[in-house]
PDB file of all heavy atoms in Angstrom:
ATOM      1  N   ILE A 425     -26.540  28.466   5.208  1.00 96.00           N
ATOM      2  CA  ILE A 425     -25.520  28.829   6.195  1.00 96.00           C
ATOM      3  C   ILE A 425     -25.690  27.936   7.408  1.00 96.00           C
ATOM      4  O   ILE A 425     -26.808  27.768   7.921  1.00 96.00           O
ATOM      5  CB  ILE A 425     -25.635  30.306   6.601  1.00 96.00           C
ATOM      6  CG1 ILE A 425     -25.518  31.209   5.363  1.00 96.00           C
ATOM      7  CG2 ILE A 425     -24.561  30.673   7.619  1.00 96.00           C
ATOM      8  CD1 ILE A 425     -25.861  32.661   5.631  1.00 96.00           C
ATOM      9  N   CYS A 426     -24.606  27.356   7.863  1.00 93.00           N
ATOM     10  CA  CYS A 426     -24.642  26.462   9.015  1.00 93.00           C
ATOM     11  C   CYS A 426     -23.759  27.018  10.120  1.00 93.00           C
ATOM     12  O   CYS A 426     -22.639  27.476   9.870  1.00 93.00           O
ATOM     13  CB  CYS A 426     -24.165  25.069   8.609  1.00 93.00           C
ATOM     14  SG  CYS A 426     -24.120  23.892   9.958  1.00 93.00           S
ATOM     15  N   CYS A 427     -24.285  27.005  11.357  1.00 90.00           N
ATOM     16  CA  CYS A 427     -23.517  27.465  12.510  1.00 90.00           C
ATOM     17  C   CYS A 427     -23.544  26.388  13.595  1.00 90.00           C
ATOM     18  O   CYS A 427     -24.600  26.123  14.193  1.00 90.00           O
ATOM     19  CB  CYS A 427     -24.085  28.776  13.059  1.00 90.00           C
ATOM     20  SG  CYS A 427     -23.164  29.428  14.470  1.00 90.00           S
ATOM     21  N   LYS A 428     -22.404  25.763  13.822  1.00 83.00           N
ATOM     22  CA  LYS A 428     -22.303  24.714  14.831  1.00 83.00           C
ATOM     23  C   LYS A 428     -22.622  25.266  16.222  1.00 83.00           C
ATOM     24  O   LYS A 428     -23.319  24.622  17.018  1.00 83.00           O
ATOM     25  CB  LYS A 428     -20.895  24.118  14.791  1.00 83.00           C
ATOM     26  CG  LYS A 428     -20.521  23.262  15.992  1.00 83.00           C
ATOM     27  CD  LYS A 428     -19.035  22.924  15.957  1.00 83.00           C
ATOM     28  CE  LYS A 428     -18.590  22.287  17.263  1.00 83.00           C
ATOM     29  NZ  LYS A 428     -17.150  22.005  17.296  1.00 83.00           N
ATOM     30  N   HIS A 429     -22.124  26.468  16.518  1.00 83.00           N
ATOM     31  CA  HIS A 429     -22.321  27.049  17.848  1.00 83.00           C
ATOM     32  C   HIS A 429     -23.804  27.273  18.148  1.00 83.00           C
ATOM     33  O   HIS A 429     -24.258  27.046  19.277  1.00 83.00           O
ATOM     34  CB  HIS A 429     -21.549  28.374  17.940  1.00 83.00           C
ATOM     35  CG  HIS A 429     -21.650  29.037  19.274  1.00 83.00           C
ATOM     36  ND1 HIS A 429     -20.988  28.565  20.395  1.00 83.00           N
ATOM     37  CD2 HIS A 429     -22.339  30.142  19.683  1.00 83.00           C
ATOM     38  CE1 HIS A 429     -21.265  29.336  21.418  1.00 83.00           C
ATOM     39  NE2 HIS A 429     -22.078  30.302  21.028  1.00 83.00           N
ATOM     40  N   ARG A 430     -24.565  27.705  17.144  1.00 86.00           N
ATOM     41  CA  ARG A 430     -26.005  27.943  17.315  1.00 86.00           C
ATOM     42  C   ARG A 430     -26.836  26.701  17.039  1.00 86.00           C
ATOM     43  O   ARG A 430     -28.052  26.703  17.242  1.00 86.00           O
ATOM     44  CB  ARG A 430     -26.462  29.072  16.397  1.00 86.00           C
ATOM     45  CG  ARG A 430     -25.782  30.416  16.666  1.00 86.00           C
ATOM     46  CD  ARG A 430     -26.091  30.899  18.069  1.00 86.00           C
ATOM     47  NE  ARG A 430     -25.402  32.157  18.363  1.00 86.00           N
ATOM     48  CZ  ARG A 430     -25.416  32.731  19.553  1.00 86.00           C
ATOM     49  NH1 ARG A 430     -26.045  32.163  20.568  1.00 86.00           N
ATOM     50  NH2 ARG A 430     -24.763  33.869  19.747  1.00 86.00           N
ATOM     51  N   LYS A 431     -26.206  25.647  16.551  1.00 87.00           N
ATOM     52  CA  LYS A 431     -26.898  24.389  16.240  1.00 87.00           C
ATOM     53  C   LYS A 431     -28.083  24.639  15.301  1.00 87.00           C
ATOM     54  O   LYS A 431     -29.177  24.107  15.490  1.00 87.00           O
ATOM     55  CB  LYS A 431     -27.379  23.685  17.508  1.00 87.00           C
ATOM     56  CG  LYS A 431     -26.309  23.555  18.583  1.00 87.00           C
ATOM     57  CD  LYS A 431     -26.884  22.960  19.851  1.00 87.00           C
ATOM     58  CE  LYS A 431     -25.905  23.052  20.981  1.00 87.00           C
ATOM     59  NZ  LYS A 431     -25.596  24.449  21.384  1.00 87.00           N
ATOM     60  N   ALA A 432     -27.828  25.472  14.294  1.00 92.00           N
ATOM     61  CA  ALA A 432     -28.918  25.866  13.406  1.00 92.00           C
ATOM     62  C   ALA A 432     -28.414  26.044  11.984  1.00 92.00           C
ATOM     63  O   ALA A 432     -27.213  26.253  11.734  1.00 92.00           O
ATOM     64  CB  ALA A 432     -29.554  27.167  13.888  1.00 92.00           C
ATOM     65  N   MET A 433     -29.365  25.965  11.042  1.00 94.00           N
ATOM     66  CA  MET A 433     -29.099  26.240   9.637  1.00 94.00           C
ATOM     67  C   MET A 433     -30.028  27.357   9.171  1.00 94.00           C
ATOM     68  O   MET A 433     -31.217  27.393   9.542  1.00 94.00           O
ATOM     69  CB  MET A 433     -29.291  24.992   8.778  1.00 94.00           C
ATOM     70  CG  MET A 433     -28.232  23.926   9.004  1.00 94.00           C
ATOM     71  SD  MET A 433     -28.338  22.591   7.814  1.00 94.00           S
ATOM     72  CE  MET A 433     -26.917  21.605   8.287  1.00 94.00           C
ATOM     73  N   TYR A 434     -29.497  28.239   8.327  1.00 96.00           N
ATOM     74  CA  TYR A 434     -30.247  29.381   7.819  1.00 96.00           C
ATOM     75  C   TYR A 434     -30.325  29.262   6.292  1.00 96.00           C
ATOM     76  O   TYR A 434     -29.300  29.075   5.625  1.00 96.00           O
ATOM     77  CB  TYR A 434     -29.555  30.687   8.194  1.00 96.00           C
ATOM     78  CG  TYR A 434     -29.267  30.814   9.677  1.00 96.00           C
ATOM     79  CD1 TYR A 434     -28.107  30.277  10.236  1.00 96.00           C
ATOM     80  CD2 TYR A 434     -30.157  31.467  10.534  1.00 96.00           C
ATOM     81  CE1 TYR A 434     -27.829  30.389  11.583  1.00 96.00           C
ATOM     82  CE2 TYR A 434     -29.889  31.591  11.896  1.00 96.00           C
ATOM     83  CZ  TYR A 434     -28.731  31.051  12.408  1.00 96.00           C
ATOM     84  OH  TYR A 434     -28.463  31.169  13.764  1.00 96.00           O
ATOM     85  N   ILE A 435     -31.521  29.350   5.754  1.00 96.00           N
ATOM     86  CA  ILE A 435     -31.747  29.267   4.317  1.00 96.00           C
ATOM     87  C   ILE A 435     -32.161  30.649   3.822  1.00 96.00           C
ATOM     88  O   ILE A 435     -33.201  31.178   4.234  1.00 96.00           O
ATOM     89  CB  ILE A 435     -32.836  28.231   3.963  1.00 96.00           C
ATOM     90  CG1 ILE A 435     -32.614  26.912   4.738  1.00 96.00           C
ATOM     91  CG2 ILE A 435     -32.879  28.000   2.467  1.00 96.00           C
ATOM     92  CD1 ILE A 435     -31.312  26.228   4.433  1.00 96.00           C
ATOM     93  N   CYS A 436     -31.334  31.236   2.953  1.00 95.00           N
ATOM     94  CA  CYS A 436     -31.560  32.614   2.505  1.00 95.00           C
ATOM     95  C   CYS A 436     -31.608  32.663   0.978  1.00 95.00           C
ATOM     96  O   CYS A 436     -30.812  31.999   0.306  1.00 95.00           O
ATOM     97  CB  CYS A 436     -30.435  33.525   3.008  1.00 95.00           C
ATOM     98  SG  CYS A 436     -30.092  33.368   4.783  1.00 95.00           S
ATOM     99  N   ASP A 437     -32.522  33.475   0.450  1.00 94.00           N
ATOM    100  CA  ASP A 437     -32.672  33.617  -0.992  1.00 94.00           C
ATOM    101  C   ASP A 437     -31.824  34.780  -1.495  1.00 94.00           C
ATOM    102  O   ASP A 437     -32.060  35.940  -1.136  1.00 94.00           O
ATOM    103  CB  ASP A 437     -34.145  33.833  -1.341  1.00 94.00           C
ATOM    104  CG  ASP A 437     -34.358  34.000  -2.834  1.00 94.00           C
ATOM    105  OD1 ASP A 437     -33.471  33.556  -3.603  1.00 94.00           O
ATOM    106  OD2 ASP A 437     -35.384  34.569  -3.241  1.00 94.00           O
ATOM    107  N   SER A 438     -30.845  34.482  -2.345  1.00 92.00           N
ATOM    108  CA  SER A 438     -29.952  35.537  -2.837  1.00 92.00           C
ATOM    109  C   SER A 438     -30.662  36.493  -3.785  1.00 92.00           C
ATOM    110  O   SER A 438     -30.187  37.624  -4.003  1.00 92.00           O
ATOM    111  CB  SER A 438     -28.749  34.916  -3.555  1.00 92.00           C
ATOM    112  OG  SER A 438     -29.165  34.202  -4.713  1.00 92.00           O
ATOM    113  N   THR A 439     -31.799  36.066  -4.352  1.00 90.00           N
ATOM    114  CA  THR A 439     -32.544  36.948  -5.271  1.00 90.00           C
ATOM    115  C   THR A 439     -33.552  37.823  -4.535  1.00 90.00           C
ATOM    116  O   THR A 439     -34.202  38.675  -5.143  1.00 90.00           O
ATOM    117  CB  THR A 439     -33.283  36.105  -6.325  1.00 90.00           C
ATOM    118  OG1 THR A 439     -34.275  35.294  -5.680  1.00 90.00           O
ATOM    119  CG2 THR A 439     -32.305  35.208  -7.081  1.00 90.00           C
ATOM    120  N   ASN A 440     -33.723  37.574  -3.235  1.00 87.00           N
ATOM    121  CA  ASN A 440     -34.631  38.368  -2.405  1.00 87.00           C
ATOM    122  C   ASN A 440     -36.088  38.291  -2.872  1.00 87.00           C
ATOM    123  O   ASN A 440     -36.863  39.233  -2.719  1.00 87.00           O
ATOM    124  CB  ASN A 440     -34.186  39.831  -2.347  1.00 87.00           C
ATOM    125  CG  ASN A 440     -34.647  40.531  -1.070  1.00 87.00           C
ATOM    126  OD1 ASN A 440     -34.925  39.881  -0.057  1.00 87.00           O
ATOM    127  ND2 ASN A 440     -34.741  41.852  -1.116  1.00 87.00           N
TER     128      ASN A 440
END
Side-chain angles (χ1 to χ4, degrees):
I425 303 170
C426 178
C427 181
K428 166 190 170 183
H429 182 73
R430 299 298 178 186
K431 311 175 190 65
M433 290 189 176
Y434 307 86
I435 314 298
C436 310
D437 179 21
S438 64
T439 64
N440 206 23

